[in-house]
Amino acid sequence: MYFWQNPDLFDIFDIEVKSGEPKKALERPLTVMLSEKAARKYFNDENIIGKRLRFDNEHDLEVTGVFKDFPLQSHWHPESYSEIIPSG
């Protein structure tokens, strides 16, 4: 599950970040933070900060961090948070 967010996400919710800087991670357009599960799925176990991930066969998103997977009992299981893509 993917979510388009603005940079305030990490000020509002208590999301544990494994790598990257949560306050800066979504400041720029076309950036994305991945869950641990998504990071393993797309990049195995390598350092992924600064890598690119193709979205919707149209946008290259820069990976700016990894957040801890949410617990199984959570009703929310995002795989990524991305800065809103500008139109035009």
Side-chain angles (χ1 to χ4, degrees):
M1 191 177 307
Y2 300 93
F3 291 92
W4 299 104
Q5 302 296 320
N6 67 31
D8 296 333
L9 172 75
F10 294 97
D11 291 331
I12 298 168
F13 295 102
D14 186 23
I15 299 169
E16 186 177 344
V17 174
K18 303 297 280 183
S19 63
E21 295 183 46
K23 299 240 185 236
K24 295 182 179 183
L26 301 177
E27 283 183 338
R28 295 177 288 117
L30 301 173
T31 53
V32 63
M33 287 195 73
L34 299 176
S35 68
E36 293 172 304
K37 179 181 175 181
R40 283 189 304 273
K41 176 180 174 181
Y42 297 117
F43 297 102
N44 295 316
D45 288 327
E46 53 184 289
N47 181 2
I48 64 170
I49 303 296
K51 301 268 184 182
R52 299 274 176 193
L53 185 64
R54 190 81 163 154
F55 177 76
D56 202 23
N57 245 0
E58 187 175 339
H59 301 285
D60 289 324
L61 306 178
E62 178 187 352
V63 179
T64 55
V66 176
F67 59 89
K68 186 175 170 92
D69 291 335
F70 282 56
L72 291 176
Q73 67 270 24
S74 173
H75 70 280
W76 199 30
H77 295 276
E79 287 189 10
S80 74
Y81 297 116
S82 299
E83 172 56 88
I84 297 169
I85 296 176
S87 59

XYZ file of all heavy atoms in Angstrom:
736
model
N 0.838 -1.158 0.000
C 0.000 0.000 0.000
C 0.898 1.241 0.000
O 1.834 1.335 0.774
C -0.889 -0.020 1.243
C -1.972 1.012 1.195
S -3.090 0.958 2.626
C -3.611 -0.731 2.675
N 0.614 2.163 -0.900
C 1.422 3.359 -1.053
C 0.622 4.586 -0.621
O -0.562 4.675 -0.881
C 1.860 3.520 -2.511
C 2.663 2.342 -2.967
C 2.062 1.260 -3.597
C 4.022 2.294 -2.728
C 2.792 0.165 -3.998
C 4.771 1.203 -3.119
C 4.153 0.140 -3.748
O 4.885 -0.948 -4.132
N 1.295 5.538 0.008
C 0.650 6.747 0.483
C 1.416 7.964 -0.001
O 2.634 8.021 0.119
C 0.598 6.778 2.018
C -0.328 5.761 2.603
C 0.130 4.509 2.953
C -1.664 6.062 2.788
C -0.723 3.571 3.487
C -2.527 5.125 3.326
C -2.060 3.876 3.672
N 0.703 8.925 -0.552
C 1.285 10.220 -0.908
C 1.136 11.109 0.301
O 0.046 11.263 0.837
C 0.571 10.819 -2.122
C 0.695 9.951 -3.321
C -0.272 9.143 -3.858
C 1.855 9.756 -4.128
N 0.220 8.474 -4.941
C 1.523 8.823 -5.134
C 3.143 10.281 -4.095
C 2.430 8.413 -6.103
C 4.047 9.862 -5.065
C 3.691 8.944 -6.049
N 2.234 11.693 0.751
C 2.252 12.469 1.988
C 2.944 13.801 1.782
O 3.666 13.994 0.828
C 3.022 11.704 3.075
C 2.469 10.348 3.387
C 1.080 10.412 3.963
O 0.751 11.262 4.775
N 0.217 9.502 3.554
N 2.765 14.664 2.753
C 3.585 15.866 2.786
C 4.608 15.692 3.902
O 4.512 14.767 4.693
C 2.732 17.130 2.922
C 2.026 17.224 4.240
O 2.515 16.743 5.252
N 0.870 17.846 4.247
N 5.604 16.559 3.988
C 6.691 16.376 4.963
C 6.257 16.373 6.428
O 7.010 15.926 7.286
C 7.618 17.571 4.684
C 7.325 17.970 3.288
C 5.866 17.680 3.084
N 5.061 16.850 6.748
C 4.606 16.892 8.141
C 4.249 15.528 8.713
O 4.011 15.410 9.913
C 3.387 17.801 8.265
C 3.706 19.242 7.919
O 4.878 19.646 8.088
O 2.805 19.956 7.476
N 4.219 14.512 7.886
C 3.821 13.169 8.329
C 4.563 12.742 9.593
O 3.958 12.260 10.545
C 4.076 12.145 7.218
C 3.890 10.687 7.609
C 2.404 10.377 7.717
C 4.552 9.775 6.611
N 5.874 12.959 9.631
C 6.673 12.477 10.762
C 6.577 13.392 11.982
O 7.039 13.030 13.057
C 8.122 12.265 10.321
C 8.239 11.152 9.314
C 8.283 11.435 7.959
C 8.258 9.831 9.711
C 8.370 10.414 7.021
C 8.330 8.801 8.794
C 8.388 9.093 7.449
N 5.978 14.560 11.823
C 5.679 15.418 12.966
C 4.361 15.004 13.604
O 4.157 15.203 14.803
C 5.574 16.886 12.533
C 6.909 17.466 12.121
O 7.950 17.011 12.636
O 6.911 18.372 11.268
N 3.477 14.444 12.812
C 2.138 14.089 13.277
C 2.091 12.681 13.876
O 1.496 12.456 14.925
C 1.123 14.212 12.120
C 1.075 15.668 11.638
C -0.250 13.717 12.535
C 0.342 15.858 10.330
N 2.742 11.712 13.210
C 2.717 10.315 13.650
C 4.072 9.888 14.183
O 5.113 10.359 13.727
C 2.316 9.396 12.494
C 0.921 9.615 12.007
C 0.691 10.335 10.849
C -0.166 9.112 12.704
C -0.596 10.554 10.387
C -1.459 9.326 12.252
C -1.673 10.046 11.099
N 4.054 8.973 15.123
C 5.281 8.428 15.698
C 5.672 7.184 14.896
O 5.260 6.075 15.208
C 5.051 8.084 17.170
C 6.326 7.648 17.860
O 7.422 7.998 17.385
O 6.215 6.942 18.884
N 6.456 7.400 13.844
C 6.878 6.319 12.954
C 8.369 6.113 13.154
O 9.159 7.053 12.998
C 6.574 6.669 11.480
C 5.066 6.854 11.308
C 7.110 5.603 10.543
C 4.664 7.447 9.985
N 8.754 4.885 13.521
C 10.163 4.605 13.766
C 10.922 4.514 12.443
O 10.589 3.710 11.577
C 10.326 3.302 14.549
C 11.754 3.039 14.950
C 11.922 1.792 15.799
O 10.908 1.283 16.332
O 13.059 1.332 15.913
N 11.937 5.334 12.312
C 12.745 5.378 11.094
C 14.040 4.618 11.334
O 14.738 4.847 12.324
C 13.020 6.848 10.693
C 13.975 6.911 9.516
C 11.717 7.551 10.366
N 14.358 3.706 10.415
C 15.568 2.886 10.523
C 16.761 3.585 9.874
O 17.883 3.436 10.334
C 15.348 1.522 9.875
C 14.176 0.735 10.435
C 14.350 0.391 11.883
C 15.263 -0.794 12.025
N 15.442 -1.241 13.391
N 16.533 4.311 8.779
C 17.608 5.061 8.131
C 17.014 6.272 7.425
O 15.853 6.254 7.021
C 18.382 4.184 7.145
O 17.553 3.757 6.097
N 17.811 7.315 7.302
C 17.333 8.558 6.725
C 16.907 9.526 7.816
O 16.870 9.180 8.994
N 16.634 10.748 7.415
C 16.225 11.791 8.355
C 14.745 12.111 8.140
O 14.389 12.731 7.139
C 17.054 13.051 8.138
C 18.521 12.853 8.449
C 19.293 14.137 8.301
O 18.826 15.185 8.806
O 20.352 14.098 7.673
N 13.880 11.698 9.056
C 12.437 11.861 8.840
C 12.000 13.302 8.605
O 11.089 13.544 7.825
C 11.808 11.286 10.101
C 12.894 11.171 11.090
C 14.182 11.091 10.343
N 12.638 14.262 9.234
C 12.230 15.661 9.068
C 12.563 16.193 7.674
O 11.956 17.142 7.207
C 12.896 16.534 10.123
C 12.498 16.122 11.528
C 11.837 17.248 12.226
C 11.565 16.847 13.665
N 10.200 16.972 14.020
N 13.535 15.576 7.000
C 13.967 16.044 5.687
C 13.614 15.076 4.554
O 13.723 15.422 3.391
C 15.481 16.254 5.677
C 15.940 17.346 6.607
C 17.430 17.532 6.518
C 17.876 18.646 7.443
N 19.316 18.896 7.322
N 13.186 13.877 4.906
C 13.028 12.803 3.921
C 12.033 13.106 2.809
O 12.209 12.664 1.680
C 12.638 11.502 4.619
N 10.987 13.849 3.112
C 9.949 14.115 2.112
C 9.827 15.601 1.785
O 8.778 16.062 1.351
C 8.602 13.559 2.594
C 8.570 12.061 2.864
C 7.202 11.648 3.407
C 8.903 11.268 1.616
N 10.906 16.336 1.968
C 10.876 17.779 1.690
C 10.822 18.079 0.194
O 10.262 19.081 -0.207
C 12.116 18.466 2.272
C 12.068 18.673 3.753
C 13.288 19.417 4.261
O 14.347 19.409 3.589
O 13.176 20.014 5.341
N 11.443 17.235 -0.607
C 11.523 17.489 -2.048
C 10.527 16.610 -2.806
O 10.249 15.486 -2.402
C 12.931 17.193 -2.561
C 13.983 18.126 -1.991
C 15.394 17.762 -2.460
N 15.833 16.534 -1.800
C 16.121 15.395 -2.431
N 16.036 15.300 -3.727
N 16.508 14.332 -1.749
N 10.024 17.092 -3.916
C 9.162 16.259 -4.759
C 9.934 15.035 -5.263
O 11.159 15.060 -5.357
C 8.794 17.171 -5.929
C 9.048 18.551 -5.448
C 10.157 18.450 -4.445
N 9.191 13.994 -5.573
C 9.740 12.771 -6.148
C 10.714 12.069 -5.211
O 11.711 11.498 -5.633
C 10.390 13.050 -7.509
C 9.446 13.649 -8.552
C 10.205 14.054 -9.798
C 8.322 12.696 -8.898
N 10.412 12.106 -3.910
C 11.181 11.343 -2.928
C 10.259 10.330 -2.278
O 9.044 10.490 -2.262
C 11.791 12.264 -1.852
O 10.770 13.076 -1.277
C 12.877 13.151 -2.447
N 10.850 9.262 -1.743
C 10.064 8.187 -1.152
C 10.811 7.585 0.033
O 12.034 7.489 0.018
C 9.741 7.088 -2.204
C 11.000 6.421 -2.722
C 8.766 6.067 -1.672
N 10.050 7.229 1.068
C 10.576 6.416 2.170
C 9.884 5.069 2.082
O 8.673 4.998 1.866
C 10.290 7.061 3.512
C 11.146 8.276 3.765
S 11.119 8.786 5.488
C 12.095 7.517 6.261
N 10.656 4.003 2.242
C 10.128 2.650 2.121
C 10.061 1.950 3.470
O 10.882 2.213 4.351
C 11.013 1.820 1.191
C 11.160 2.304 -0.245
C 12.148 1.416 -0.985
C 9.821 2.307 -0.950
N 9.127 1.030 3.602
C 9.100 0.154 4.771
C 10.269 -0.816 4.659
O 10.848 -0.996 3.579
C 7.785 -0.628 4.822
O 7.726 -1.550 3.755
N 10.622 -1.458 5.764
C 11.689 -2.461 5.732
C 11.351 -3.561 4.718
O 12.212 -4.002 3.954
C 11.876 -3.091 7.108
C 12.412 -2.155 8.153
C 12.385 -2.769 9.533
O 11.294 -3.190 9.987
O 13.463 -2.816 10.147
N 10.099 -3.981 4.713
C 9.651 -5.037 3.803
C 9.829 -4.611 2.339
O 10.343 -5.371 1.523
C 8.180 -5.361 4.079
C 7.601 -6.423 3.191
C 6.136 -6.659 3.533
C 5.501 -7.642 2.578
N 4.083 -7.852 2.880
N 9.399 -3.397 2.002
C 9.530 -2.914 0.625
C 10.998 -2.725 0.248
O 11.397 -3.015 -0.880
C 8.763 -1.611 0.448
N 11.811 -2.249 1.192
C 13.242 -2.071 0.923
C 13.887 -3.405 0.570
O 14.672 -3.491 -0.385
C 13.930 -1.446 2.135
N 13.558 -4.468 1.309
C 14.091 -5.811 1.000
C 13.565 -6.300 -0.344
O 14.303 -6.895 -1.137
C 13.707 -6.799 2.100
C 14.529 -6.683 3.358
C 14.265 -7.827 4.325
N 12.856 -7.965 4.682
C 12.255 -7.320 5.667
N 12.939 -6.464 6.412
N 10.982 -7.508 5.935
N 12.294 -6.064 -0.606
C 11.655 -6.517 -1.850
C 12.329 -5.915 -3.079
O 12.590 -6.605 -4.054
C 10.177 -6.133 -1.819
C 9.406 -6.455 -3.073
C 7.952 -6.015 -2.899
C 7.137 -6.175 -4.150
N 5.746 -5.728 -3.951
N 12.609 -4.619 -3.045
C 13.144 -3.935 -4.220
C 14.664 -3.871 -4.280
O 15.236 -3.782 -5.365
C 12.580 -2.516 -4.303
C 11.093 -2.482 -4.487
C 10.264 -1.916 -3.531
C 10.489 -3.041 -5.610
C 8.883 -1.891 -3.693
C 9.115 -3.028 -5.776
C 8.323 -2.453 -4.820
O 6.957 -2.432 -4.982
N 15.335 -3.902 -3.115
C 16.779 -3.684 -3.106
C 17.569 -4.716 -2.312
O 18.759 -4.525 -2.097
C 17.088 -2.290 -2.535
C 16.529 -1.172 -3.358
C 15.370 -0.524 -2.957
C 17.144 -0.754 -4.520
C 14.841 0.532 -3.699
C 16.637 0.288 -5.271
C 15.487 0.933 -4.862
N 16.950 -5.769 -1.830
C 17.599 -6.751 -0.949
C 18.072 -6.052 0.318
O 17.341 -5.304 0.904
C 18.716 -7.493 -1.676
C 18.177 -8.344 -2.811
O 17.188 -9.031 -2.660
N 18.823 -8.266 -3.960
N 19.314 -6.270 0.726
C 19.789 -5.710 1.992
C 20.834 -4.622 1.808
O 21.594 -4.322 2.712
C 20.368 -6.817 2.884
C 19.274 -7.705 3.451
O 18.174 -7.190 3.695
O 19.526 -8.900 3.641
N 20.911 -4.024 0.640
C 21.923 -3.001 0.426
C 21.478 -1.648 0.977
O 20.313 -1.452 1.299
C 22.267 -2.893 -1.060
C 21.073 -2.700 -1.967
C 21.457 -2.707 -3.439
O 22.084 -1.730 -3.869
O 21.141 -3.684 -4.120
N 22.430 -0.721 1.098
C 22.115 0.639 1.529
C 21.358 1.315 0.388
O 21.898 1.495 -0.688
C 23.400 1.391 1.858
C 23.128 2.802 2.327
O 21.983 3.235 2.449
N 24.179 3.526 2.599
N 20.127 1.715 0.626
C 19.288 2.192 -0.479
C 19.107 3.700 -0.528
O 18.474 4.219 -1.440
C 17.909 1.511 -0.447
C 17.127 1.883 0.804
C 18.059 0.011 -0.577
C 15.687 1.430 0.743
N 19.658 4.424 0.439
C 19.528 5.877 0.429
C 20.147 6.421 -0.863
O 21.280 6.097 -1.207
C 20.214 6.519 1.652
C 19.658 5.947 2.952
C 20.086 8.042 1.607
C 18.211 6.241 3.201
N 19.374 7.221 -1.586
C 19.852 7.805 -2.834
C 19.559 6.970 -4.072
O 19.720 7.447 -5.191
N 19.103 5.735 -3.893
C 18.754 4.884 -5.044
C 17.453 5.386 -5.662
O 16.707 6.131 -5.039
C 18.586 3.423 -4.611
C 19.799 2.811 -3.975
C 20.624 2.136 -4.995
C 21.785 1.441 -4.261
N 22.666 0.804 -5.132
N 17.178 4.949 -6.863
C 15.961 5.355 -7.582
C 15.007 4.173 -7.695
O 15.412 3.034 -7.869
C 16.306 5.829 -8.985
C 17.219 7.035 -8.991
C 16.419 8.284 -8.888
N 17.304 9.440 -8.790
C 16.887 10.615 -8.441
N 15.629 10.821 -8.176
N 17.720 11.620 -8.352
N 13.720 4.483 -7.602
C 12.668 3.485 -7.729
C 11.664 4.023 -8.741
O 11.157 5.131 -8.597
C 11.996 3.258 -6.374
C 10.950 2.172 -6.283
C 11.570 0.808 -6.536
C 10.314 2.183 -4.901
N 11.393 3.236 -9.783
C 10.468 3.657 -10.841
C 9.034 3.450 -10.373
O 8.674 2.376 -9.916
C 10.733 2.821 -12.089
C 10.022 3.296 -13.307
C 10.798 4.425 -13.882
N 10.383 4.665 -15.265
C 10.517 5.831 -15.816
N 11.053 6.822 -15.170
N 10.130 6.007 -17.050
N 8.214 4.496 -10.458
C 6.818 4.425 -10.034
C 5.907 4.656 -11.228
O 6.067 5.637 -11.955
C 6.532 5.465 -8.942
C 5.099 5.497 -8.519
C 4.586 4.512 -7.698
C 4.251 6.482 -8.971
C 3.259 4.518 -7.319
C 2.922 6.503 -8.606
C 2.425 5.520 -7.780
N 4.964 3.756 -11.409
C 3.930 3.906 -12.427
C 4.520 4.070 -13.835
O 3.944 4.730 -14.688
C 3.024 5.091 -12.067
C 1.659 5.010 -12.721
O 1.230 3.898 -13.087
O 1.026 6.072 -12.863
N 5.696 3.491 -14.030
C 6.378 3.535 -15.336
C 6.555 4.959 -15.857
O 6.670 5.189 -17.049
C 5.632 2.702 -16.374
C 6.453 1.531 -16.840
O 7.574 1.332 -16.407
N 5.875 0.764 -17.732
N 6.562 5.927 -14.945
C 6.607 7.317 -15.365
C 7.527 8.182 -14.507
O 8.163 9.096 -15.004
C 5.190 7.895 -15.310
C 5.058 9.263 -15.875
C 3.613 9.727 -15.897
O 2.693 8.885 -15.856
O 3.406 10.938 -15.938
N 7.596 7.908 -13.197
C 8.340 8.760 -12.276
C 9.455 7.979 -11.607
O 9.248 6.859 -11.136
C 7.413 9.310 -11.182
C 6.269 10.102 -11.710
N 6.404 11.375 -12.202
C 4.962 9.793 -11.841
C 5.245 11.827 -12.606
N 4.338 10.879 -12.398
N 10.642 8.571 -11.563
C 11.754 8.004 -10.799
C 11.782 8.690 -9.444
O 11.992 9.901 -9.358
C 13.087 8.217 -11.522
C 13.210 7.347 -12.757
O 12.719 6.205 -12.717
O 13.796 7.803 -13.746
N 11.547 7.917 -8.392
C 11.530 8.451 -7.036
C 12.861 8.155 -6.350
O 13.377 7.046 -6.447
C 10.395 7.825 -6.225
C 8.989 7.920 -6.814
C 7.998 7.208 -5.916
C 8.599 9.373 -7.020
N 13.411 9.139 -5.668
C 14.654 8.952 -4.922
C 14.328 8.428 -3.530
O 13.529 9.025 -2.805
C 15.411 10.265 -4.806
C 16.690 10.130 -4.008
C 17.368 11.448 -3.735
O 16.942 12.485 -4.298
O 18.315 11.453 -2.939
N 14.952 7.321 -3.148
C 14.743 6.748 -1.818
C 15.514 7.590 -0.804
O 16.720 7.794 -0.941
C 15.197 5.280 -1.760
C 15.002 4.717 -0.360
C 14.443 4.443 -2.783
N 14.796 8.096 0.206
C 15.419 8.967 1.202
C 15.428 8.352 2.601
O 15.943 8.968 3.532
C 14.698 10.319 1.254
O 13.311 10.086 1.493
C 14.887 11.084 -0.043
N 14.864 7.150 2.751
C 14.879 6.518 4.055
C 14.075 5.236 4.105
O 13.386 4.874 3.155
N 14.202 4.573 5.247
C 13.485 3.316 5.508
C 12.847 3.424 6.888
O 13.496 3.849 7.842
C 14.451 2.111 5.468
C 13.727 0.816 5.829
C 15.110 1.994 4.098
N 11.574 3.062 6.973
C 10.894 3.052 8.265
C 10.577 1.624 8.674
O 10.470 0.725 7.835
C 9.630 3.923 8.259
C 8.590 3.531 7.253
C 7.611 2.599 7.572
C 8.592 4.089 5.984
C 6.646 2.239 6.650
C 7.633 3.744 5.047
C 6.659 2.808 5.380
N 10.468 1.419 9.978
C 10.189 0.095 10.538
C 8.802 -0.361 10.112
O 7.862 0.428 10.081
C 10.293 0.160 12.061
C 10.166 -1.174 12.741
C 10.402 -1.005 14.236
C 10.057 -2.256 14.976
N 11.169 -3.149 15.144
N 8.693 -1.647 9.766
C 7.390 -2.222 9.428
C 6.424 -2.045 10.598
O 6.817 -2.145 11.757
C 7.526 -3.720 9.130
C 8.275 -4.004 7.843
O 8.292 -3.142 6.942
O 8.854 -5.097 7.735
N 5.171 -1.798 10.272
C 4.160 -1.657 11.307
C 3.818 -3.037 11.867
O 3.898 -4.039 11.147
C 2.904 -1.004 10.723
C 3.027 0.487 10.559
C 4.053 1.054 9.818
C 2.105 1.326 11.160
C 4.163 2.420 9.675
C 2.210 2.707 11.019
C 3.238 3.250 10.280
N 3.403 -3.134 13.140
C 3.050 -4.430 13.732
C 1.879 -5.076 12.994
O 1.040 -4.380 12.412
C 2.645 -4.082 15.163
C 3.048 -2.678 15.396
C 3.233 -2.023 14.073
N 1.813 -6.395 13.038
C 0.743 -7.131 12.362
C -0.639 -6.713 12.849
O -1.587 -6.685 12.072
C 0.930 -8.632 12.548
C 2.124 -9.243 11.810
C 2.251 -10.725 12.152
C 1.999 -9.045 10.320
N -0.767 -6.377 14.126
C -2.076 -6.012 14.663
C -2.509 -4.609 14.260
O -3.642 -4.209 14.494
C -2.122 -6.179 16.186
C -1.253 -5.241 16.965
C 0.150 -5.760 17.219
O 0.661 -6.602 16.486
N 0.784 -5.262 18.262
N -1.632 -3.861 13.614
C -1.983 -2.520 13.147
C -2.959 -2.624 11.978
O -2.901 -3.550 11.175
C -0.719 -1.777 12.702
O -1.051 -0.556 12.105
N -3.849 -1.655 11.857
C -4.775 -1.657 10.718
C -4.149 -0.957 9.520
O -4.716 -0.930 8.436
C -6.095 -0.980 11.102
C -5.988 0.498 11.306
N -5.508 1.037 12.465
C -6.267 1.536 10.481
C -5.503 2.362 12.359
N -5.946 2.695 11.164
N -2.978 -0.402 9.675
C -2.300 0.386 8.656
C -0.973 -0.283 8.332
O -0.144 -0.492 9.213
C -2.083 1.767 9.255
C -1.808 2.882 8.328
C -2.244 3.028 7.056
C -1.036 4.047 8.608
N -1.806 4.210 6.532
C -1.061 4.859 7.475
C -0.334 4.482 9.720
C -0.412 6.072 7.405
C 0.300 5.697 9.656
C 0.256 6.473 8.506
N -0.755 -0.673 7.075
C 0.476 -1.368 6.663
C 1.057 -0.740 5.403
O 1.098 -1.362 4.344
C 0.194 -2.855 6.434
C -0.201 -3.572 7.677
N 0.714 -4.065 8.572
C -1.414 -3.830 8.208
C 0.086 -4.614 9.582
N -1.213 -4.484 9.380
N 1.530 0.495 5.488
C 2.076 1.143 4.294
C 3.409 0.528 3.879
O 4.187 0.088 4.727
C 2.271 2.583 4.752
C 2.461 2.485 6.228
C 1.609 1.330 6.664
N 3.649 0.489 2.580
C 4.947 0.059 2.062
C 5.815 1.261 1.730
O 7.029 1.138 1.650
C 4.777 -0.809 0.817
C 4.255 -2.190 1.125
C 4.305 -3.104 -0.087
O 4.906 -2.746 -1.112
O 3.737 -4.193 0.013
N 5.175 2.400 1.498
C 5.967 3.591 1.202
C 5.188 4.852 1.509
O 3.961 4.854 1.536
C 6.385 3.612 -0.265
O 5.293 3.941 -1.089
N 5.957 5.917 1.736
C 5.422 7.266 1.832
C 6.189 8.071 0.811
O 7.411 8.071 0.794
C 5.667 7.887 3.211
C 5.004 7.179 4.345
C 5.741 6.577 5.338
C 3.612 7.133 4.425
C 5.130 5.930 6.384
C 2.993 6.489 5.475
C 3.763 5.890 6.450
O 3.152 5.250 7.485
N 5.469 8.755 -0.054
C 6.117 9.559 -1.088
C 5.648 10.995 -0.990
O 4.496 11.268 -0.643
C 5.763 9.035 -2.482
O 6.200 7.714 -2.631
N 6.561 11.898 -1.317
C 6.175 13.301 -1.422
C 5.226 13.407 -2.594
O 5.357 12.709 -3.595
C 7.411 14.170 -1.643
C 7.126 15.622 -1.961
C 6.275 16.329 -0.926
O 6.808 16.864 0.042
O 5.055 16.363 -1.124
N 4.251 14.257 -2.490
C 3.256 14.428 -3.530
C 3.942 14.856 -4.825
O 4.765 15.764 -4.833
C 2.197 15.460 -3.109
C 1.463 14.922 -1.864
C 1.238 15.775 -4.234
C 0.579 15.945 -1.186
N 3.616 14.179 -5.905
C 4.213 14.483 -7.202
C 3.569 15.747 -7.759
O 2.347 15.824 -7.836
C 4.038 13.308 -8.190
C 4.804 12.094 -7.683
C 4.509 13.693 -9.581
C 4.620 10.858 -8.517
N 4.386 16.719 -8.130
C 3.805 17.948 -8.668
C 3.141 17.700 -10.013
O 3.591 16.848 -10.785
C 5.014 18.870 -8.819
C 6.179 17.955 -8.924
C 5.818 16.713 -8.134
N 2.069 18.410 -10.289
C 1.406 18.248 -11.581
C 2.099 19.122 -12.616
O 2.685 20.141 -12.291
C -0.071 18.634 -11.484
O -0.187 19.975 -11.068
N 2.000 18.695 -13.871
C 2.544 19.500 -14.956
C 3.902 19.177 -15.344
O 4.686 18.490 -15.310
